[in-house]
Amino acid sequence: KQEVTQIPAALSVPEGENLVLNCSFTDSAIYNLQWFRQDPGKGLTSLLLIQSSQREQTSGRLNASLDKSSGRSTLYIAASQPGDSATYLCAASGGSYIPTFGRGTSLIVHP
Amino acid sequence: DAGVIQSPRHEVTEMGQEVTLRCKPISGHDYLFWYRQTMMRGLELLIYFNNNVPIDDSGMPEDRFSAKMPNASFSTLKIQPSEPRDSAVYFCASCPGTVNQPQHFGDGTRLSIL
């Protein structure tokens, strides 16, 4: 059974810092790895999806990398802003194509 | 595109009552998922449908939970009878396919069972 772990569980940083959020998964036989953002009282919003054949995906200030062999993914946020404050979840999709979610990293970026 | 629409947004009811949560997926999306999110257990998949047919309901916690999808534009998750431990945020999500297709989530129903 796939297990997904995210470290750290919470993070508080000043505006402008570059951040790295970590995600690890136990079963490396995945089809893709997704990163989501969740704002308070809202559902999840897909940020990036990395297919198993890819090493990374980029969208604006966000860059996600995938290392299947080591069972790890990182989400890099450049020049963080207060508007980036949210919970970030990663999800690994295996043989059934259905994602298994981590518990998330709660991020606060203060001015 | 209106996105995934869930109703109600909040539900407060007494233990033992029947609760029905509703979801309208994005038009054209063949897959629909029901999740439950709690502080203790995180985001858990309860059940998912493909073309209105339930594919995997192994995440449904007990027989008190049931889900239906009578047509491509509507699904319900029902709890009968409800218990305080069912209190959680319930999310519905949809996607056009499962292979390398991101899921689109509704804003959830916050359920409180007193």
Side-chain angles (χ1 to χ4, degrees):
Chain A
K1 179 184 174 184
Q2 179 75 273
E3 292 184 7
V4 179
T5 303
Q6 292 188 244
I7 294 173
L11 188 60
S12 179
V13 300
E15 181 177 7
E17 280 204 6
N18 299 322
L19 308 172
V20 175
L21 307 183
N22 297 293
C23 172
S24 62
F25 45 94
T26 54
D27 186 351
S28 61
I30 63 170
Y31 285 94
N32 64 58
L33 190 291
Q34 298 182 68
W35 284 93
F36 292 84
R37 169 182 174 140
Q38 185 175 23
D39 292 286
K42 297 290 187 180
L44 282 66
T45 299
S46 179
L47 296 174
L48 292 166
L49 184 151
I50 312 173
Q51 299 180 29
S52 61
S53 59
Q54 299 173 328
R55 294 290 298 222
E56 64 178 347
Q57 282 286 334
T58 298
S59 176
R61 294 182 294 106
L62 305 180
N63 175 276
S65 65
L66 174 64
D67 184 343
K68 281 181 54 178
S69 61
S70 66
R72 297 187 182 195
S73 176
T74 60
L75 179 66
Y76 177 82
I77 303 176
S80 59
Q81 303 171 359
D84 295 330
S85 299
T87 297
Y88 292 82
L89 295 90
C90 69
S93 297
S96 67
Y97 305 108
I98 304 306
T100 299
F101 287 83
R103 299 292 296 272
T105 293
S106 177
L107 172 66
I108 296 175
V109 181
H110 48 87
Chain B
D1 191 338
V4 176
I5 300 173
Q6 292 187 245
S7 64
R9 288 297 317 277
H10 300 90
E11 175 87 11
V12 181
T13 191
E14 292 189 348
M15 175 179 174
Q17 297 298 306
E18 178 179 291
V19 173
T20 300
L21 310 181
R22 298 173 176 79
C23 174
K24 176 179 170 56
I26 293 173
S27 177
H29 284 192
D30 293 334
Y31 287 82
L32 183 140
F33 305 81
W34 281 101
Y35 292 91
R36 177 171 69 176
Q37 187 176 43
T38 62
M39 290 291 291
M40 290 290 291
R41 301 172 68 90
L43 195 66
E44 304 173 277
L45 176 66
L46 300 177
I47 185 172
Y48 78 96
F49 295 82
N50 178 22
N51 291 321
N52 313 336
V53 177
I55 302 300
D56 185 351
D57 66 354
S58 60
M60 298 285 263
E62 300 172 32
D63 291 344
R64 299 184 295 105
F65 286 70
S66 63
K68 295 182 179 179
M69 192 164 185
N71 57 62
S73 60
F74 184 66
S75 177
T76 60
L77 178 66
K78 186 172 294 186
I79 308 173
Q80 167 63 20
S82 58
E83 297 183 4
R85 60 196 167 115
D86 301 330
S87 298
V89 181
Y90 290 81
F91 288 104
C92 176
S94 70
C95 63
T98 55
V99 181
N100 296 323
Q101 296 283 346
Q103 295 184 356
H104 299 256
F105 281 74
D107 284 339
T109 295
R110 182 172 293 277
L111 178 62
S112 297
I113 308 297
L114 306 177

